Amino acid sequence: MRLQGGLIDRSKTLRFTFDGKSYQGHPGDTLASALLANGVRLMGRSFKYHRPRGPLSAGSEEPNALVELRSGARQEPNTRATVVELFDGLEAASQNRWPSLAFDAMAVNDLLADFLTAGFYYKTFMWPRAFWEKLYEPAIRNAAGLGRLSMEADPDAYDKGFLHCDLLVVGGGAAGLAAALTAARAGASVILADEDHRLGGRLLAESDLLDDQPATTWIADVESEFASLPNLRIMRRTTVWGAFDHGVYGAVERVADHLPTPASAVRQTLWRITARRMILAAGATERHIPFANNDRPGIMLAGAMRAYANRWAASPADRVAVFTNNDDGHHSALDMKAKGVSVAAVIDARPDAKAFGDYRLIAGAHVTSSRGRLGLRSVQVTHDRGREWIDCGALGVAGGWNPNLQLASHQRGRPVWDDTLHAFLPGDLPAGMTVAGAAAGHGSTQAALASGTKAAVEALAALGMTALPATLPRAEDRASGLHPLWHVPGKGRAWVDFQNDVTVKDIRLAHKENMRPVEHLKRWTTLGMATDQGKTSNVTALAVMAELTGQSIAATGTTIFRPPYTPVSLSVLGGGDTGTHFRPRRLTPSHEWARAHGAVFVEVGQWMRAQYFVQPGETHWRQSVDREVLATRKGVGICDVTTLGKIDVQGADAGAFLDRLYANPMASLKVGMVRYGLMLREDGHAYDDGTCARLTEDHFVVTTTTAQAGPVYRHMEFARQCLWPELDVQLISTTDAWAQFSVAGPNARKLLERIVDGFDLSNAAFPFMACASLTVCGGLRARLFRISFSGELAYEIAVPARYGHALIARMIELGADLGVTPYGTEALGVLRIEKGHPAGNELNGQTTAQMLGMGQMVSAKKDAIGAVMSRREGLLAEPRVLVGLLPVNPADPVVAGSHLFTKDAEQRTETDEGWITSAAFSPHIGSAIGLGFLANGRARLGEVITAANPLQGQQIALRVVSAHFVDPEGERLRA
Amino acid sequence: MLIPHPLLGLRDAQEFTYLGDAALLNRPDGLTAPEAFNDYVYLRDNPAGVHRELWFHEQGDRSWLIVTRNTLTHDILGVELARDVALGAKGAK
């Protein structure tokens, strides 16, 4: 029902639906407060027994009132109705029920409760083993989970951000406000974060005055001063959910969750806050007192009941009762009365309890049962005079308050039990953290304000800053007078953990079955798991266990906490790194040109490379690729090879440095020449290959494979800084600085002669493996390398990256009469396989120089990375070497990955003689061809072997040939 | 985690690439001590406690750092430029 007053804006009406039925609320309402105001107490079903449930709390600790929010792609399961800000047009649906919330067929589980006890899964689904995959797991998965996913992509935008501050204050209640005010006045950079949309924390839920004014007046004064302090950043709707090493905190700001259409802005932002000091002022969470049938809608925490009345002008019923073991419960009754709600009784477990006002007090009594199938109708009160039923639509339960110390525990700090407060307090704190207010056990408003101020003064002092304690308003300073009552003894089911349906009985059973340590108790009963992580149940459960074991609560101990404090969506953890933002695409300088000329692109690492260029009339990729290969071997082809890593190596010792990086000698390379280089890992296996070009005495340009550009650069910096820092050498990656094209084919020289500025390209002046700096196209600086990956007369030409597009366009234009053809990575692959050049498939990290036929390149005269280990006996004894493979029947395929066996040999691991690394259709040969590693391959040229491809049931007869299918003498590339 | 870079101050650990035991700096000479390579390549300490380890500031200034870190607490006890350490070791030889 709706009450008077409250912090809601009655001038505006918001319409919303719950399970398809329309209701009205006001700005300032949460979904739960608006439903209660509309007389709706039933909001969900419990996980295991499908018991009807209403909200237990008025905050983020809520275990019961979980709903599916919104519809379509934005449908979000397990949102807590208690923290969902109401907006116009909000759609919510209950979950974990079928066919409806009021009639749930799965509630049959409730009748099986004796069977579905603690450890049920562990005990029941043990045997027969064969049933697990087919029967048990599908059945459990079907029954498990609460809400449903939309199964559509999240349409909203998320972001990540970084913040730094002197002091992070977590929680904007009394303690947090006092701390932030004190620190910000002193000039420190302060961030104040609170999960609510409105500052004030628990002050907003109380009727107590500050300096004889409503708390909201003091809060407004503080906020107006905050607005004048540029060194303070207030982050509302922001949950600090994790405390990480070195003062790094994770926070989620719900930027647009409260808007009808969150698409207009970033929906949520993941903040990484680096704070020199942190004050945890996260408040406290009330605990309930388990009694039989204590889970009916309408039974809630007493502090939540008065929060609904004071802040949201909503009451779950017009007649309520309170069950308490402390004075605070009485204040809930007083507040309800003040709001015009009838208080049937205050049932106080303490025999010596006194009334604080005009209401019926039943002292020394327990609530022992309740009635009302879909909502509370009455409670049974038992005292030494007998037993009576009291009619009420809601019961507030006040069992004391547990400090919200989760963040203090994220670095494994173990909470410590306080026998005076009857609560766990933060133990060893993460470096830089202090705890203030109710989170530190300072429960009264006055104590919270004072402790917040003190914490800020101390935090700033630790940073060498002086803060003056803020003048604090007069505030209530009541003692709680709590006398612990952890559960009401009795036979019926008394819920401890509402979300996971864990009862006192289950804990008793766990005790009986020797699952007594708190960690075992948690896993055996599922206590404290799922979305609420036991915020309203953990301490009560282990107090019950302590009672059963006869140990103190301190000796029983508690489990510790991990991030996140409250659930964090995967979307915001992704922070917008989805789709192409997950892995940015790198485009080559000729990308736009290639796209305009029919290129189909392929991802190569992060790069998008032209795979082949489709010409009119071509309907199959093979047609395009075959044409490109033949045109290159006949005329001239151009391929963008910018993606190969390029590293500039300069310095007087550049040659000596490269000598140690490459297995083969580099210092001896003449200026103006290029040499193939093979890098080994220190364990002796092949790492990467490329070319080294010596442009001047102390300037080399080396290339890496596309895939290893980053790792090789890191490796070279390691060698430079960590192994040989005495060498005069500098490195920088220039991969993105230069556009580089391969120009290959018998007409390559003729084409390049048309663009170079008076440079002699004759074979005598610029022979195979020459390199030079020059200009092209009338003054454009360029680098030219006469190297060949295709086996043809070939060059690679590099120009500053921004001229790459223009250069390929110019070369294609000028080479029309020479048969110039752009080719992509497929043709590049065919050309190199035809020539027998190793690439990534052969340099896969498991192969050696010897296997690649390059064993003699590893110099014994110098020390180079990997040289020593490459000479290990085991590696030298490796018989497999790279060979070429041709199908005996030209129509047969050659499939990479096939394993090689002696013809007619039995095919077992022991008889395996190697594998096919690369395969392609060679238009030059007219059949498929392959490269592979074959045991003793060099001595077996001409032999027919078998390639086994059991995946496709193929046995192909292959002839072992030279890996050089094209121009084995190398005449073309030297032409 | 935050790593106090000797040149750049506190930097987020996300900017770094981790390699491992800083013993990798003590590479034997391939011509004079080939027998020492097996230990160098394959044997590493993996202590639960104080560890000297190599971090590469890949998303930053590309310095290799030697970070002395307690692997149990993530306390960082010292950070040096690997180059300075390597030069110091060479000078001592």
Side-chain angles (χ1 to χ4, degrees):
Chain A
M1 63 182 282
R2 188 59 96 183
L3 310 174
Q4 294 302 306
L7 304 176
I8 53 173
D9 177 5
R10 288 165 203 269
S11 69
K12 291 195 191 97
T13 297
L14 304 175
R15 290 166 195 286
F16 69 100
T17 65
F18 178 61
D19 279 343
K21 202 174 162 206
S22 292
Y23 301 96
Q24 294 183 356
H26 299 290
D29 261 325
T30 63
L31 175 58
S33 74
L35 284 171
L36 289 175
N38 280 282
V40 178
R41 290 176 297 174
L42 175 62
M43 298 188 196
R45 288 270 174 174
S46 70
F47 178 59
K48 193 159 71 172
Y49 300 137
H50 292 252
R51 299 265 298 186
R53 292 284 168 80
L56 179 75
S57 75
S60 60
E61 68 270 33
E62 178 58 31
N64 284 341
L66 305 183
V67 299
E68 283 169 5
L69 197 64
R70 306 181 190 269
S71 58
R74 287 201 177 88
Q75 178 189 304
E76 190 182 347
N78 301 339
T79 56
R80 289 149 294 168
T82 50
V83 294
V84 170
E85 291 176 51
L86 199 66
F87 53 80
D88 200 44
L90 179 147
E91 293 172 75
S94 59
Q95 52 189 33
N96 202 38
R97 85 286 185 271
W98 185 86
S100 75
L101 187 55
F103 178 78
D104 178 2
M106 286 295 277
V108 66
N109 279 5
D110 202 28
L111 303 174
L112 304 172
D114 284 342
F115 179 59
L116 294 165
T117 51
F120 166 68
Y121 290 100
Y122 301 108
K123 293 167 187 165
T124 310
F125 299 112
M126 298 292 288
W127 46 264
R129 198 177 165 151
F131 277 26
W132 179 251
E133 211 172 291
K134 293 249 155 55
L135 189 65
Y136 295 152
E137 189 180 333
I140 292 171
R141 288 206 184 282
N142 197 33
L146 291 164
R148 297 161 304 164
L149 293 170
S150 73
M151 305 310 285
E152 291 178 55
D154 188 331
D156 294 321
Y158 297 81
D159 206 354
K160 283 182 185 174
F162 295 79
L163 291 171
H164 298 259
C165 61
D166 292 328
L167 176 67
L168 168 66
V169 180
V170 177
L177 290 174
L181 191 62
T182 303
R185 278 181 182 166
S189 68
V190 178
I191 292 172
L192 171 62
D194 193 281
E195 61 182 2
D196 209 335
H197 68 96
R198 197 170 168 158
L199 293 182
R202 192 67 207 175
L203 292 175
L204 301 173
E206 304 293 359
S207 60
D208 299 305
L209 303 179
L210 295 180
D211 276 346
D212 305 322
Q213 300 277 326
T216 46
T217 308
W218 182 75
I219 295 167
D221 289 347
V222 171
E223 286 199 72
S224 74
E225 182 171 353
F226 279 170
S228 71
L229 294 165
N231 51 323
L232 171 73
R233 181 183 181 123
I234 298 171
M235 302 181 74
R236 295 182 180 84
R237 299 187 175 99
T238 302
T239 303
V240 177
W241 54 265
F244 300 95
D245 294 296
H246 305 155
V248 176
Y249 299 90
V252 168
E253 182 178 6
R254 290 170 295 278
V255 182
D257 275 13
H258 60 294
L259 301 177
T261 307
S264 53
V266 166
R267 176 139 180 206
Q268 297 181 350
T269 301
L270 179 70
W271 292 103
R272 173 186 279 255
I273 302 173
T274 303
R276 297 169 73 199
R277 304 284 308 185
M278 190 271 229
I279 293 176
L280 178 63
T285 298
E286 198 170 23
R287 56 193 178 221
H288 65 101
I289 304 167
F291 58 88
N293 299 316
N294 62 330
D295 68 333
R296 300 196 195 280
I299 300 177
M300 58 173 55
L301 297 167
M305 181 188 273
R306 74 170 187 256
Y308 282 116
N310 289 327
R311 179 174 174 180
W312 289 287
S315 176
D318 54 6
R319 184 178 160 85
V320 304
V322 171
F323 177 33
T324 184
N325 64 354
N326 64 79
D327 290 352
D328 192 54
H330 293 253
H331 288 280
S332 292
L334 289 173
D335 281 1
M336 296 310 287
K337 240 173 97 68
K339 284 281 179 183
V341 177
S342 156
V343 174
V346 172
I347 300 102
D348 195 320
R350 298 170 300 174
D352 55 349
K354 301 269 181 302
F356 287 74
D358 179 20
Y359 50 80
R360 182 183 174 206
L361 169 66
I362 310 174
H366 288 165
V367 175
T368 42
S369 190
S370 73
R371 285 183 185 146
R373 197 174 70 84
L374 298 177
L376 184 68
R377 282 203 327 268
S378 58
V379 295
Q380 183 192 55
V381 178
T382 303
H383 40 70
D384 49 13
R385 300 169 297 285
R387 187 169 276 199
E388 62 178 297
W389 283 95
I390 294 176
D391 288 346
C392 57
L395 177 74
V397 184
W401 295 78
N402 292 320
N404 290 333
L405 45 69
Q406 285 84 350
L407 287 169
S409 194
H410 283 179
Q411 308 277 316
R412 303 197 63 77
R414 211 160 262 283
V416 290
W417 181 252
D418 186 303
D419 268 327
T420 319
L421 292 167
H422 305 289
F424 279 101
L425 293 178
D428 286 340
L429 295 174
M433 187 186 290
T434 41
V435 189
H442 304 295
S444 78
T445 309
Q446 189 175 311
L449 288 165
S451 86
T453 307
K454 180 162 171 274
V457 171
E458 288 171 1
L460 263 59
L463 299 177
M465 302 168 83
T466 307
L468 301 173
T471 313
L472 300 171
R474 284 189 315 283
E476 62 82 20
D477 194 19
R478 295 186 289 266
S480 85
L482 179 135
H483 189 271
L485 172 63
W486 295 111
H487 71 104
V488 174
K491 282 195 175 161
R493 278 184 295 167
W495 271 263
V496 176
D497 181 328
F498 292 95
Q499 186 160 93
N500 296 291
D501 276 331
V502 179
T503 63
V504 172
K505 251 187 189 172
D506 291 315
I507 298 172
R508 205 170 281 142
L509 186 61
H511 172 259
K512 205 164 112 188
E513 292 173 337
N514 209 26
M515 296 295 175
R516 296 178 190 181
V518 286
E519 287 81 6
H520 287 171
L521 171 66
K522 172 173 176 165
R523 281 151 189 88
W524 193 240
T525 61
T526 69
L527 174 108
M529 299 197 180
T531 69
D532 67 336
Q533 289 289 296
K535 288 188 181 65
T536 54
S537 61
N538 275 347
V539 175
T540 306
L542 57 92
V544 171
M545 181 56 91
E547 185 185 296
L548 292 166
T549 55
Q551 281 185 315
S552 66
I553 296 175
T556 303
T558 174
T559 52
I560 57 173
F561 302 94
R562 286 177 295 199
Y565 174 62
T566 49
V568 173
S569 72
L570 290 175
S571 294
V572 75
L573 289 178
D577 293 345
T578 56
T580 53
H581 295 294
F582 179 71
R583 193 175 192 203
R585 285 178 170 174
R586 298 172 79 182
L587 304 183
T588 64
S590 67
H591 187 84
E592 288 306 315
W593 184 92
R595 204 167 61 156
H597 289 79
V600 169
F601 293 95
V602 60
E603 285 183 38
V604 182
Q606 291 182 325
W607 291 98
M608 297 298 289
R609 295 189 72 178
Q611 192 173 14
Y612 48 89
F613 295 81
V614 180
Q615 294 288 300
E618 290 173 349
T619 55
H620 190 278
W621 65 271
R622 265 281 308 286
Q623 295 172 309
S624 308
V625 173
D626 289 357
R627 172 183 50 72
E628 289 169 15
V629 170
L630 291 172
T632 300
R633 295 226 183 271
K634 183 159 168 267
V636 56
I638 300 178
C639 182
D640 191 326
V641 294
T642 303
T643 61
L644 294 176
K646 309 179 199 76
I647 298 168
D648 220 61
V649 184
Q650 299 197 36
D653 296 322
F657 177 72
L658 293 177
D659 244 5
R660 300 178 197 192
L661 258 298
Y662 288 93
N664 51 321
M666 282 300 164
S668 57
L669 181 63
K670 289 190 175 61
V671 171
M673 295 302 287
V674 184
R675 187 174 285 164
Y676 175 82
L678 180 68
M679 275 188 196
L680 308 180
R681 293 193 310 241
E682 197 67 277
D683 69 2
H685 286 84
Y687 180 32
D688 198 56
D689 70 348
T691 57
C692 293
R694 193 167 203 168
L695 294 175
T696 66
E697 187 63 30
D698 56 1
H699 184 189
F700 289 77
V701 172
V702 309
T703 65
T704 74
T705 58
T706 299
Q708 297 279 33
V712 166
Y713 179 76
R714 187 190 311 152
H715 172 73
M716 288 174 72
E717 282 289 4
F718 175 80
R720 186 181 77 88
Q721 296 176 41
C722 301
L723 301 182
W724 298 295
E726 71 279 12
L727 296 180
D728 173 11
V729 58
Q730 300 295 326
L731 308 174
I732 194 157
S733 166
T734 61
T735 303
D736 292 275
W738 294 87
Q740 194 150 318
F741 295 95
S742 168
V743 181
N747 289 337
R749 182 183 287 122
K750 279 184 208 152
L751 174 57
L752 286 175
E753 277 169 348
R754 296 177 187 180
I755 62 163
V756 296
D757 297 337
F759 187 85
D760 186 356
L761 283 173
S762 69
N763 206 25
F766 199 70
F768 179 58
M769 296 307 261
C771 69
S773 287
L774 71 168
T775 65
V776 299
C777 303
L780 175 63
R781 71 196 167 95
R783 289 170 177 172
L784 191 63
F785 313 88
R786 190 171 161 192
I787 53 182
S788 176
F789 199 46
S790 56
E792 295 299 322
L793 167 66
Y795 303 80
E796 287 187 15
I797 182 165
V799 295
R802 63 187 179 280
Y803 293 101
H805 182 126
L807 183 67
I808 191 171
R810 177 73 63 90
M811 288 193 291
I812 294 290
E813 179 196 328
L814 295 178
D817 60 316
L818 303 174
V820 69
T821 300
Y823 66 95
T825 55
E826 283 298 328
L828 184 78
V830 174
L831 291 163
R832 74 99 190 161
I833 294 169
E834 287 181 338
K835 182 59 187 174
H837 267 307
N841 294 6
E842 287 73 32
L843 292 154
N844 69 349
Q846 299 174 305
T847 56
T848 63
Q850 183 184 282
M851 291 172 75
L852 292 162
M854 301 180 194
Q856 75 290 347
M857 277 173 63
V858 182
S859 170
K861 293 183 190 144
K862 58 161 188 154
D863 184 15
I865 289 174
V868 169
M869 295 299 266
S870 76
R871 289 190 278 270
R872 283 184 285 170
E873 279 174 37
L875 294 188
L876 292 176
E878 167 62 57
R880 290 173 293 198
V881 293
L882 194 64
V883 296
L885 299 163
L886 266 179
V888 173
N889 172 2
D892 277 348
V894 178
V895 180
S898 301
H899 276 246
L900 305 175
F901 294 91
T902 297
K903 189 167 180 285
D904 300 329
E906 192 188 349
Q907 294 177 358
R908 289 179 289 116
T909 305
E910 296 76 16
T911 59
D912 191 315
E913 296 190 302
W915 74 100
I916 300 176
T917 54
S918 300
F921 180 84
S922 166
H924 180 79
I925 303 290
S927 77
I929 60 170
L931 298 176
F933 292 108
L934 177 67
N936 307 313
R938 218 164 289 133
R940 296 168 72 173
L941 296 181
E943 182 180 331
V944 172
I945 59 168
T946 301
N949 174 16
L951 281 180
Q952 291 164 303
Q954 289 170 327
Q955 298 279 331
I956 308 288
L958 299 178
R959 191 177 304 282
V960 182
V961 296
S962 157
H964 306 295
F965 295 92
V966 169
D967 189 28
E969 305 306 318
E971 286 163 3
R972 293 193 197 181
L973 49 80
R974 291 190 171 79
Chain B
M1 281 202 329
L2 301 174
I3 295 176
H5 191 299
L7 305 176
L8 301 171
L10 278 180
R11 308 301 310 177
D12 197 294
Q14 284 191 327
E15 294 172 9
F16 294 82
T17 303
Y18 181 76
L19 182 62
D21 191 350
L24 279 176
L25 256 68
N26 311 319
R27 183 180 185 274
D29 187 295
L31 296 179
T32 61
E35 69 288 347
F37 267 82
N38 189 64
D39 287 2
Y40 172 71
V41 172
Y42 291 111
L43 296 186
R44 302 258 200 294
D45 285 338
N46 183 22
V50 176
H51 193 208
R52 292 179 83 237
E53 50 197 25
L54 281 157
W55 292 73
F56 182 49
H57 198 202
E58 189 146 41
Q59 310 292 321
D61 76 341
R62 306 188 298 275
S63 288
W64 276 97
L65 304 183
I66 294 180
V67 178
T68 307
R69 183 177 67 110
N70 186 326
T71 58
L72 292 175
T73 62
H74 291 182
D75 284 342
I76 291 180
L77 308 168
V79 183
E80 302 158 279
L81 289 174
R83 182 184 159 79
D84 290 348
V85 175
L87 277 174
K90 299 234 170 182
K93 270 180 197 168

